[in-house]
Amino acid sequence: EITNRTQLHSDTVHAGEWAASRDFCYWRAPLTELAGKTMGIIGFGRIGQAVADIAQAFGMSVLAYDLPVIEQALSPTLRRTDLDTLLREADVISLHCPLTDATQGLINQDTIARMKSGVILINTSRGPVLNEADVAHALAEGRLGALGADVLSTEPPQKDNPLLSAPNCILTPHISWATKEARARLITIAAQNIAAFLAGKPINVVN
């Protein structure tokens, strides 16, 4: 949606613009290829690594940042690096880090200033990783090209959340986990956890 504006163009087709067009195609906003761009991934655990695979499949190079910081080339198109390098070089930044004291407000006026102008920001981690007021301001100024987020600092959001009125901001109601298949897997895993605990052989232990 962010790079190809699919909803915008679908709306114009339904409004009759394609039927009335003299050409076989048209576009109402710039369209952007991901191939050749750099994806920055903040939080390089299991999910971040899966996102890296998808980004590379689109022809993107990937910069990954995690703690501890390791400067390491993992492949010709995937490199672990420090946060400053990622912020400076990435065209798209995707957040997959946990919410901790170190990551709360990680994306703020200062870190945005170190990013490329027009960068696309994606947050499917936790809402408070963003300073929402700073992000909304950067969107309004055009410093950030777009935000796609499935999480907010308060859920459901307060009516005065600045992102609700920010331009180029796509928000979904915390549904990236909510397919029928994913929910069925969660129920199965929960049952397996209980059975393993009762058998004295706990699995998926977090402590």
Side-chain angles (χ1 to χ4, degrees), residues 65-188:
Y65 165 73
D66 210 344
L67 294 174
V69 177
I70 301 172
E71 189 69 46
Q72 180 183 20
L74 300 177
S75 78
T77 57
L78 174 57
R79 178 163 57 96
R80 295 187 67 169
T81 190
D82 61 275
L83 182 60
D84 280 340
T85 299
L86 186 151
L87 295 174
R88 183 174 64 251
E89 298 184 11
D91 301 293
V92 181
I93 296 175
S94 191
L95 303 169
H96 301 281
C97 51
L99 178 61
T100 66
D101 290 343
T103 62
Q104 183 160 0
L106 177 67
I107 304 302
N108 55 47
Q109 183 178 10
D110 174 62
T111 51
I112 292 169
R114 288 183 267 161
M115 298 176 189
K116 287 183 178 180
S117 181
V119 70
I120 295 170
L121 183 64
I122 301 168
N123 187 20
T124 56
S125 59
R126 291 293 181 264
V129 174
L130 304 185
N131 180 312
E132 292 172 338
D134 288 355
V135 170
H137 182 70
L139 288 166
E141 285 192 328
R143 184 80 181 90
L144 284 177
L147 169 69
D150 189 49
V151 289
L152 291 175
S153 59
T154 302
E155 298 173 351
Q158 301 294 319
K159 292 181 179 180
D160 62 351
N161 186 303
L163 293 178
L164 296 178
S165 56
N168 300 318
C169 182
I170 297 173
L171 303 173
T172 51
H174 207 139
I175 56 172
S176 62
W177 68 281
T179 62
K180 180 180 179 181
E181 294 82 358
R183 286 180 282 126
R185 284 195 301 274
L186 289 175
I187 292 170
T188 299

Side-chain angles (χ1 to χ4, degrees), residues 191-203:
Q192 291 170 343
N193 286 345
I194 294 170
F197 179 80
L198 293 175
K201 298 178 180 179
I203 58 174

